[in-house]
Amino acid sequence: MSADHARRRARTVANTTLLTLTLSASPLCGTALADPPAIEPPSANTIADNGSRSGSASGSTADGPDGSTAPPGANDFGCRPSAAHPRPVVLVHGTWGNQNAWDVLAPQLKTEGYCVFSLNYGKDVTSVMGAKPGSYGNGDIRESAEELSDFVDRVLASTGATKVDLVGHSQGGTMSRQYLRFDGGAAKVSKMITIAATNHGTTMNGLITQATGSASGSAAGSSSGSSGLAGGPIGAVFGLASTQQLVGSEFITALNAGGDTLPGIDYTVIATHVDKTSTPPEATFLTAVPGATVDNLWVQDICSNDTTPHGDLPKSPTVAYIVEKALDPSSPATLPCG
C-alpha cells in the first residue's frame, strides 16, 4: 500500500469514526437527543450552539423559532442611543442557531435602555444541518464575518453611534473576533463579550481524539473544508463552520496567529465548567496584548450552582448578569443567585 493511499484510508476511517461517534453521542448541550433519521444528526449534540430555543418569533420549526422575527426589543433601527448607553449592542448567535437565541437577553437589555440589534448570518444549505429551516451559522466563518461587518455598518449609520459593543455566543464570539481582526471591526467596536466561544478551537468533548488518536487537531484539515475532517461526511453533515472551529484547524490558527486580542478593545470572556461543546472550557479564555483588557470569568465563580449547558447560555440569568455588568459596571443588575 502506498503512503498516499494509506493517508487517504486513514482520513476516511477518521471521518467515518468521528461521524459515528458524534451521531451516537449522549446529550451534550442540555437538550435531549432526537433519534436521527438515517445520517441526519440530532437536533442538539456536541457541535450545536442553538440549545432549546424559546421565544415568540412568527416562524417556527420543530427546534424552535426560525429567526424570521427579531427578538423582543431588538432591531429598532429608529433607536437613538442615550448618554447613559451611547453604544448599540449587537448580539451574535452561534452555530446552527439564529437571532432568537437572544429572545431572553435582548428585551432585558432593551429595558435597561440599550439600543439592541441581532442578526442571522452564515446560511449555507450545502450541508445537512445548514439545510434545516432556522439553522444559520453553518457557512464559512470568514464570509459570516463580512456579513457582520455589513450589519454593524448599518447599525452605526442608523443610530448615529461611532462604535458598538458585541456579544457573541460560541461561534458568534469567534466569528466576531474574525471581524475585529480582518474586516475593520477593531475601529468600530469598544467592548467584545464572548460566551463560551470556540476561541482556540474545540475538541468536541474528546471526540476528535477518539476518532483520530490525536488531540492536536491535525485531522481538522484546511479551513476551506477541502481535506481532513473538514471535508467528506463531516463537513457534508455539520457544515464548514463546525469544522473550522475544531482545534488545530487552519482557520483557528490564522485567527490567533497575531495574538488573541487587539489594542483598544475591552474583552469579557465567559466560560462554564460544565461546557461539553466548547472544550476544554478554559480554551475560550484570551490573553491581552498591550492596549487591550481581558476579563476571563467562570460562570460558577459568580453563581456556583449554575449548570446551564452550552446551548442555553444566552438564556442564563448568570450570563445576563455578567453581560450587563461588562457593558456597564454601574448596571443595577442583581446577582441571580443572591
Side-chain angles (χ1 to χ4, degrees):
M1 180 185 298
S2 69
D4 285 345
H5 180 72
R7 282 193 293 269
R8 286 195 299 271
R9 178 178 175 82
R11 283 198 299 267
T12 299
V13 171
N15 275 321
T16 303
T17 303
L18 183 54
L19 182 60
T20 301
L21 287 167
T22 303
L23 292 177
S24 61
S26 59
L28 296 178
C29 288
T31 303
L33 294 179
D35 291 330
I39 197 173
E40 185 172 355
S43 60
N45 59 26
T46 54
I47 305 178
D49 299 338
N50 58 322
S52 54
R53 305 185 192 123
S54 63
S56 56
S58 60
S60 62
T61 70
D63 296 324
D66 64 5
S68 59
T69 299
N75 291 358
D76 174 7
F77 284 90
C79 184
R80 295 295 179 268
S82 66
H85 301 304
R87 294 182 302 276
V89 178
V90 177
L91 306 174
V92 190
H93 66 76
T95 309
W96 303 349
N98 59 55
Q99 62 182 333
N100 293 123
W102 307 107
D103 280 350
V104 174
L105 183 60
Q108 293 177 357
L109 296 177
K110 182 68 171 180
T111 298
E112 288 201 9
Y114 291 95
C115 292
V116 183
F117 297 88
S118 63
L119 75 159
N120 300 317
Y121 69 85
K123 185 64 174 177
D124 182 355
V125 299
T126 60
S127 67
V128 172
M129 289 306 299
K132 293 171 72 70
S135 176
Y136 292 83
N138 32 65
D140 190 329
I141 297 176
R142 295 163 297 192
E143 295 179 5
S144 294
E146 295 173 2
E147 294 182 54
L148 177 60
S149 176
D150 291 342
F151 187 78
V152 169
D153 286 350
R154 182 186 175 196
V155 169
L156 293 176
S158 67
T159 60
T162 58
K163 289 188 176 184
V164 302
D165 293 334
L166 297 178
V167 180
H169 172 230
S170 201
Q171 183 199 151
T174 307
M175 185 270 280
S176 294
R177 292 181 55 232
Q178 169 78 14
Y179 161 62
L180 295 179
R181 184 172 294 279
F182 297 109
D183 294 289
K188 303 172 184 178
V189 174
S190 178
K191 295 186 177 184
M192 175 78 250
I193 302 170
T194 69
I195 305 169
T198 51
N199 284 323
H200 295 100
T202 176
T203 65
M204 291 172 58
N205 202 37
L207 292 183
I208 290 179
T209 302
Q210 293 183 53
T212 66
S214 170
S216 68
S218 59
S222 78
S223 61
S224 65
S226 60
S227 64
L229 298 183
I234 301 300
V237 173
F238 298 123
L240 177 55
S242 294
T243 61
Q244 285 177 316
Q245 294 173 82
L246 296 178
V247 63
S249 74
E250 288 185 12
F251 171 81
I252 290 294
T253 300
L255 176 63
N256 296 313
D260 289 351
T261 56
L262 294 170
I265 300 175
D266 296 328
Y267 296 81
T268 300
V269 185
I270 304 170
T272 175
H273 286 293
V274 300
D275 202 329
K276 298 186 184 302
T277 298
S278 182
T279 59
E282 62 272 17
T284 193
F285 289 149
L286 300 176
T287 300
V289 299
T293 64
V294 174
D295 194 6
N296 292 317
L297 297 170
W298 289 104
V299 166
Q300 287 75 24
D301 284 346
I302 307 299
C303 288
S304 60
N305 61 346
D306 189 321
T307 58
T308 305
H310 180 92
D312 288 334
L313 285 170
K315 297 183 289 187
S316 161
T318 309
V319 169
Y321 172 83
I322 297 172
V323 169
E324 291 170 27
K325 286 294 189 181
L327 291 172
D328 179 6
S330 66
S331 167
T334 57
L335 275 173
C337 50

